[in-house]
Amino acid sequence: MQLTVWTYEGPPHVGAMRVATGMKGLHYVLHAPQGDTYADLLFTMIERRKARPPVTYTTFQARDLGSDTAEIFKTACKEAVERFDPQAIIVGASCTAELIQDDPGGLAKTLDLNVPVIPLELPSYQKKENWGASETFFQLVRGLAGGRTPEEKPEGAPKTCNILGPTALGFRHRDDVTEITRLLGTLGVEVNVVAPMGATPHDLTRLPNADFNVVLYPEVAGQAAQWLKRTFGQPIVSTVPMGVNATRQFVREVAELVGADPEPVIAQADERLSWYSLSIDSNYLTGKRVFIFGDATHAIAAARIAEHELGFKVCGLGTYSREFAREVRAAAKEYGIEALITDDHLEVEDAIVAAQPELVLGTQMERHIAKRLRIGCAVISAPVHVQDFPARYSPFMGFEGANVIFDSFVHPLVMGLEEHLLGMFREDFEFNDDAQASHLAALHAGAKHETIEIPEAQTAPDDKTQDVVANGSVAASFGSPSWTDDAELELKKIPFFVRGKARRNTERFAAEQGVNPITIETLYDAKAHYGR
Amino acid sequence: MNRHVPPHVAAAEAREADGLGCTDVTPIKQRGQHEVFCGLTSIIWLHRKVQDAFFLIVGSRTCAHLMQSAAGVMIFAEPRFGTAIIDDRDLSGMADMNEELDKVVARLIARRPDIRMLVLVGSCPSEVIKLDLGRAAMKLNERFAPDLRVLSYSGSGIETTFTQGEDNFLQAVIGGTPRAAPDAPRQLLIAGCLADVIEDQFTRIFHGLGIENVHFLPARHAEGVPPIGPNTTVLMAQPYLTETAKMLEKKGARVLTAPFPLGEEGTTAWLRAAADAFDVPADRFAAITDAGRERARKAVSLYRDRLAGKRVFFFPDSQMEPSLARFLSREVDAEILEVGTPYLNKNHMAPDLALLPSSVRLAEGQDVDKQIDRVRADDPDLIICGMGLGNPFEAEGRTTKWSIEFAFTPIQGYEQAGDLAELFARPLGRRDLLQVEV
Ligand code: SF4
Ligand code: SF4
């Protein structure tokens, strides 16, 4: 039993819904109680989908238990096929129905439905949303493409590929697909099928016709792509084209597969991240401490971009995807840090507080944490929020994705000259602790807080009530050396966004040198010792 | 005032003479997919209301995910609710579930020493595996009393819809309250969660009427519920408290029935029920309520043009639907096509039903697909529905309002009557405003 307030992932049947809702012509009959229908709102509200998810819930009740829940399932299944006329259905149980063991797959088989029925076994008490999406997609692909023979293609026909992984409710999946389809087109590659998003069950039967597979989201499509490779010998392009370098690598990998020349495509790319990052204006980005948390694919890519394409310093990297812990651990090692593998957001919050970053790249959960701590933040991964479905075109992948990433990682930071001025005029009343960068929400003036604490929003569901200032005396509360009043005052003259680092460095320095208490001297000694 | 009287209103007023309205209308009862929240969802307001309580759901990842999806998606840093997620080890017997629960509770109490009331909330999984939360609560009570009171109730989706969670919670709250002494002074108990601001308004009115001894259920703090007995007159502020009302009656209390306090008319009738029970003279009642009535009428009148004659369809959600429909029909002259409700308590609802025109279609329970068919056939001007249905209807060019807003917004009483009308009017006004199309 685990105590949870917020979760990064829903139950596995929500993953199945993401696959089913992304597709067309597929229906999902889910044995589940009425409350589980909440999942519809994820799609219609958060993603603003125009149609209800293609899901029929049996909504059995307590009085049905032990008598006719199986009958209820069969009726729901039959009626759903009649009403929605799908090309195929998937059937399964949510957590409650799993306990009553009605066997939806077996029941559906007895109905002689005139459509393929793909049963799903998604263990709700072990697995989570992404696993559920992956398993569902795999079962669909295996069930519908299995046993097919790839079509013969005429000599000289253009090379084709499948784009695998995008689902409903995915972080920027809509625009990533557009961007990558376009990119593949510049290499002369045609897209055979995009799946699950936009595909019908019939389309899945055509998957074997492609020359290779592009896996954009390994969390969802890795398993299915492996199966396609084993079964039909389709190679996998596994580089996720996020960031400039990975996109170039992706282009080269694809070009190699199809025998095209990648260099013109790379040379003509409408990519601005590189130049913007090289431009003198971006000097101030150097060494900005960034904390990264999200699904494995996005977290690993964000870290690589942050460190190698923007010149930040990755001071924290983690994921909630336990299935990909190994990959994230390996990535973290490159940056000399220990990966954080957890699905407990309180642990993530503690890690952020300890790492004292200047920028957080995370999920909606981290956005809230960063807001409370008054640290800039950009969202890079699901779980998503209505804001993660912007009206404008904003992919995270491909060359345009790199442009979008430059903007979204850099804008939350205080600008270069702004930062210098803050350093010069740190006594200016508008630059003091309670004055925030103009793009961050205004906070109460005059509030001074000595420690970061995790506050409880007692009064109102509004960030304005969270009087918490990241002025970085956390280390002090962990029993580090004490500060003289003078030194404490001097520390306060350092702009708030670097103060945490200064305090941490000084305390580490003092501890190493055996100095206690910390004086103004110690502060500047430490500054000289570590440099900026 | 030149009141426009559509034919159906005239008809309703005619029927009112014999007090029937749609009392006799047989509700449609179809068994199909229910598209409503489970009782867990009422924790969203309960945990704000009872300020020293923590609601611990014992359930699955689905329950936790429901709560975060429905609770305005991740706003609170650390709300006073959480889920103890049952996992494989619990189910396979590798871990003793009661011990596991004890551990979770110990962690929670260590983290939140300010908590005075811990509420264990049962879910579908905990019920199907027959985890005895009542017993768990009893044992925890022995351990933590008197600093912490531990209660339990079920908010499961196999037993409860949405607001019924509050019904079960309130039974748990009053289950342990002592019986009032026979000579205890008379008291008025308002049952059903109301916004703090509304409680304060009503308190002022009751005091003005000379009813001094007024309590609210739930109270804002764990210790706030008085002994209950024959000295207690109960006025229901919410329509979904069927079982709570029965329990109060069993304790000797007298439960009044009245229209629910929505709109000027409903609020007045509701207050009058209490005033009559406490023998408040008519002139005093008028003196205290006239100004509020006038303000409410005026505030509502601002939206009448927009709402009059509009054809409205209610999906089932909170059980407040008949009262909301009555307000729309009576105070802004809207035409009500269908009133869906998860459960229809004909007793508690009688006064509201009597004020609804007999042309109204009532529907109890749900088959959502068939209900959607009826919407398409009716082509209403405004659909009150759940969050999963709103956008799909909007995409069809229909105008909708999220039903959950009526549960989450202060709408009761005179001062909120205008806000209530505005909630209905806004989507219509917005459609008029926009020069875009899907
Ligand atoms: S319906 Fe049951 S399983 Fe689903 S969220 Fe509600 S209590 Fe949990
Ligand atoms: S404060 Fe203004 S200038 Fe600075 S980063 Fe934000 S938007 Fe850009």
Side-chain angles (χ1 to χ4, degrees), chain A residues 1-14 33-38 40-42 44-46 48-53 55-65 72 79 83-84 94-96 98-100 123-129 343-346 349 364-365 368 372 383-385 454-463 466, chain B residues 31-38 48 51 54 56 58-62 64-91 97 100-101 104 107-108 111-112 114 124-129 131 156-161 367-370 372-373 387-393 395 402 438:
Chain A
M1 224 174 248
Q2 192 201 351
L3 178 60
T4 313
V5 180
W6 303 124
T7 66
Y8 286 96
E9 290 182 75
H13 72 258
V14 168
Q34 60 190 350
D36 292 11
T37 59
Y38 80 87
D40 284 359
L41 73 86
L42 302 171
T44 63
M45 259 178 80
I46 295 181
R48 298 181 218 252
R49 282 197 165 252
K50 291 182 180 170
R52 294 167 65 208
V55 181
T56 293
Y57 307 79
T58 56
T59 62
F60 57 86
Q61 291 172 302
R63 60 163 191 256
D64 307 320
L65 293 177
I72 290 174
E79 288 183 357
R83 178 177 282 269
F84 298 103
S94 78
C95 53
T96 307
E98 187 182 330
L99 296 171
I100 60 178
S124 317
Y125 298 91
Q126 272 176 44
K127 301 293 189 183
K128 291 183 276 189
E129 180 177 333
D343 56 3
D344 181 349
H345 71 105
L346 295 176
E349 175 147 10
Q364 284 294 332
M365 221 84 78
H368 282 280
R372 279 199 303 284
V384 287
H385 188 256
I454 289 121
E456 187 197 350
Q458 284 276 10
T459 40
D462 191 328
D463 288 290
Q466 313 277 354
Chain B
R31 176 70 180 82
Q33 176 176 320
H34 288 202
E35 182 98 7
V36 282
F37 287 142
C38 59
R48 291 280 116 198
Q51 290 166 16
F54 191 101
L56 180 63
V58 183
S60 62
R61 179 165 301 279
T62 314
H65 199 234
L66 156 92
M67 288 304 290
Q68 97 182 33
S69 307
V73 202
M74 299 181 267
I75 289 171
F76 301 109
E78 198 178 351
R80 286 185 306 272
F81 65 77
T83 308
I85 297 186
I86 299 169
D87 61 31
D88 240 28
R89 295 177 58 252
D90 302 310
L91 293 175
M97 244 185 280
E100 289 288 302
L101 185 58
V104 168
R107 249 188 84 191
L108 188 68
R111 218 187 137 75
R112 305 296 303 262
D114 50 318
C124 305
S126 78
E127 263 164 46
V128 170
I129 60 173
L131 185 61
S156 83
I158 52 176
E159 296 277 5
T160 60
T161 65
D367 181 327
V368 72
D369 290 313
K370 290 187 181 138
I372 291 170
D373 291 344
M387 295 194 278
L389 298 173
N391 267 340
F393 279 139
W402 285 335
V438 275

Side-chain angles (χ1 to χ4, degrees), chain B residues 54-234:
Chain B
F54 191 101
F55 291 79
L56 180 63
I57 299 162
V58 183
S60 62
R61 179 165 301 279
T62 314
C63 309
H65 199 234
L66 156 92
M67 288 304 290
Q68 97 182 33
S69 307
V73 202
M74 299 181 267
I75 289 171
F76 301 109
E78 198 178 351
R80 286 185 306 272
F81 65 77
T83 308
I85 297 186
I86 299 169
D87 61 31
D88 240 28
R89 295 177 58 252
D90 302 310
L91 293 175
S92 63
M94 276 163 66
D96 180 307
M97 244 185 280
N98 286 303
E99 275 171 28
E100 289 288 302
L101 185 58
D102 281 356
K103 269 190 239 162
V104 168
V105 168
R107 249 188 84 191
L108 188 68
I109 294 171
R111 218 187 137 75
R112 305 296 303 262
D114 50 318
I115 294 305
R116 292 283 154 269
M117 183 198 270
L118 175 68
V119 193
L120 304 180
V121 188
S123 66
C124 305
S126 78
E127 263 164 46
V128 170
I129 60 173
K130 303 207 160 46
L131 185 61
D132 190 345
L133 291 183
R135 223 182 101 239
M138 224 168 67
K139 291 178 79 180
L140 288 167
N141 249 328
E142 285 164 14
R143 211 163 106 205
F144 293 107
D147 298 343
L148 181 74
R149 186 173 163 211
V150 186
L151 307 178
S152 76
Y153 73 90
S154 167
S156 83
I158 52 176
E159 296 277 5
T160 60
T161 65
F162 196 26
T163 48
Q164 284 172 329
E166 181 177 329
D167 194 15
N168 285 359
F169 169 63
L170 294 184
Q171 290 169 72
V173 169
I174 56 177
T177 49
R179 239 185 133 86
D183 57 345
R186 281 194 76 183
Q187 63 184 4
L188 178 64
L189 182 69
I190 313 293
C193 212
L194 291 169
D196 292 353
V197 56
I198 296 178
E199 283 185 10
D200 296 343
Q201 290 166 7
F202 282 150
T203 304
R204 281 196 296 273
I205 293 179
F206 287 125
H207 288 177
L209 293 173
I211 307 172
E212 289 299 334
N213 208 352
V214 182
H215 297 273
F216 290 88
L217 181 67
R220 293 183 203 180
H221 295 279
E223 294 309 315
V225 183
I228 293 161
N231 67 325
T232 310
T233 300
V234 179

Side-chain angles (χ1 to χ4, degrees), chain B residues 154 159-160 163-172 174-175 191 217 234 236 238-251 255 319 343 345 348:
Chain B
S154 167
E159 296 277 5
T160 60
T163 48
Q164 284 172 329
E166 181 177 329
D167 194 15
N168 285 359
F169 169 63
L170 294 184
Q171 290 169 72
I174 56 177
L217 181 67
V234 179
M236 312 282 285
Q238 298 288 5
Y240 45 73
L241 300 177
T242 298
E243 300 303 320
T244 302
K246 280 187 200 156
M247 187 181 257
L248 287 164
E249 273 171 345
K250 257 196 222 132
K251 285 177 172 278
V255 178
Q319 296 187 40
Y343 173 73
N345 183 324
H348 290 177

Side-chain angles (χ1 to χ4, degrees), chain A residues 289 356-358 374 422 426-427 431-435 447-450 452 469-475 483 487-507 523 532:
Chain A
R289 296 170 59 81
Q356 306 203 350
E358 291 156 272
R374 299 181 72 187
L422 279 164
R426 52 200 169 203
E427 306 277 12
F431 280 171
N432 71 17
D433 296 1
D434 308 308
K448 296 263 183 206
H449 298 268
E450 290 307 311
I452 297 175
V469 181
N471 65 359
S473 59
V474 151
W483 290 65
E488 194 76 59
L489 275 179
E490 196 71 10
L491 181 71
K492 288 222 167 115
K493 295 178 187 166
I494 296 170
F496 61 85
F497 51 86
V498 285
R499 194 180 306 141
K501 187 174 167 188
R503 179 184 285 275
R504 201 167 27 86
N505 283 349
T506 309
E507 287 173 353
L523 178 65
R532 157 90 171 91

